[in-house]
Amino acid sequence: MAALMQKSALSRPACSTRSSRRAVVVRAAADRKLWAPGVVAPEYLKGELAGDYGWDPLGLGADPTALKWYRQSELQHARWAMLGVAGVLVQEIVKPDVYFYEAGLPQNLPEPFTNINMGGLLAWEFILMHWVEVRRWQDYKNFGSVNEDPIFKGNKVPNPEMGYPGGIFDPFGFSKGDFKELQTKEIKNGRLAMIAYMAFILQAQATGKGPLAALSAHLSNPFGNNILKNIGTCTVPHSVDVQGLTIPLTCLWPGSQ
């Protein structure tokens, strides 16, 4: 009997410890912000990544290697989308007479770029972007391996975290503050920008107008200019000829070209 009582007494702390650990885990899950109330995040999404709200319905991030690559891809797309959205809006404000869908045509470019060879420009863009992307891939495969400038040796970026080079890319020293909060703000704004840019494109294809012009038309006649009225309409031609180069086009919006 004495042995049983001693065994029972020894087992109590272990049970108490397990219960307390479970309580801590439950509290941590309750305190974490998720994409909807009451949802359970996948086990592999632990809230460590900025902007992680437990949303992965297709399970794309179940593989840790894939998850790391998807985060870098999302960052790149988010940053380009933020630049694109800002560019479209600024261009329409500064030159409202130029449709942003055609702003890149030679005749719509400012001097001295009106006579630029578009084929040569595309070739140089391909070469330079390919070089940058290869360097980014090398950093992904071997983090920190491309921190040093390949031409001007001795010049390096601190690169505290993959995708965040720092140094001259952080002239105001924001990364020295609450880095995680700034990362979260960036990815949230980037996700919104990706949705906005896609909306700009679909809207332009359906109406032939820029976002501000389309917004003005909608506000002037909400029932006559809206998404339902534009279904089945596409203003994009099958192709466009630029300096003898035929570029095929497609309409992402459901409609006939």
Side-chain angles (χ1 to χ4, degrees):
M1 177 65 73
L4 289 173
M5 291 178 64
Q6 183 180 7
K7 183 177 180 181
S8 176
L10 290 172
S11 65
R12 283 193 205 110
C15 292
S16 176
T17 301
R18 284 195 295 270
S19 299
S20 63
R21 286 177 180 171
R22 276 198 298 270
V24 169
V25 172
V26 170
R27 281 198 299 273
D31 293 340
R32 180 184 169 191
K33 292 182 179 180
L34 296 175
W35 64 275
V39 299
V40 178
E43 293 182 358
Y44 51 85
L45 294 181
K46 303 174 183 177
E48 298 170 349
L49 294 172
D52 174 13
Y53 296 102
W55 168 261
D56 187 17
L58 301 179
L60 300 176
D63 180 359
T65 302
L67 179 60
K68 187 171 70 168
W69 176 251
Y70 287 142
R71 166 39 54 103
Q72 296 308 307
S73 298
E74 183 183 32
L75 268 177
Q76 294 300 313
H77 283 84
R79 289 165 179 170
W80 278 114
M82 286 188 282
L83 286 172
V85 167
V88 169
L89 294 175
V90 170
Q91 183 269 324
E92 189 170 359
I93 292 172
V94 175
K95 298 194 70 175
D97 55 316
V98 177
Y99 178 36
F100 88 89
Y101 223 78
E102 301 173 347
L105 293 176
Q107 61 267 28
N108 292 325
L109 296 176
E111 293 289 349
F113 303 107
T114 52
N115 295 321
I116 193 170
N117 185 287
M118 297 301 289
L121 176 63
L122 290 174
W124 271 110
E125 285 182 350
F126 177 81
I127 293 171
L128 294 176
M129 289 300 296
H130 176 73
W131 181 78
V132 170
E133 285 299 300
V134 168
R135 298 278 291 178
R136 191 165 69 87
W137 173 256
Q138 290 173 335
D139 188 56
Y140 166 76
K141 297 295 288 184
N142 185 15
F143 179 56
S145 62
V146 294
N147 287 0
E148 185 176 25
D149 193 304
I151 299 174
F152 303 100
K153 301 294 183 180
N155 295 314
K156 297 182 179 181
V157 292
N159 204 12
E161 193 173 319
M162 189 179 297
Y164 303 90
I168 60 173
F169 298 99
D170 183 20
F172 300 107
F174 290 142
S175 60
K176 297 176 182 178
D178 191 341
F179 195 31
K180 184 66 176 289
E181 181 183 359
L182 292 174
Q183 288 176 313
T184 302
K185 288 180 178 180
E186 180 190 35
I187 200 65
K188 288 170 72 174
N189 281 282
R191 289 167 178 169
L192 181 62
M194 287 188 281
I195 295 173
Y197 188 78
M198 194 64 186
F200 286 1
I201 296 299
L202 293 176
Q203 183 176 252
Q205 291 185 349
T207 65
K209 299 177 181 178
L212 297 181
L215 175 62
S216 178
H218 172 70
L219 293 177
S220 64
N221 184 8
F223 296 102
N225 298 310
N226 55 60
I227 188 172
L228 296 178
K229 293 291 184 178
N230 293 320
I231 292 179
T233 302
C234 181
T235 63
V236 178
H238 290 285
S239 63
V240 60
D241 291 324
V242 181
Q243 296 177 344
L245 181 66
T246 300
I247 303 175
L249 303 177
T250 185
C251 195
L252 302 176
W253 181 251
S256 56
Q257 288 179 285

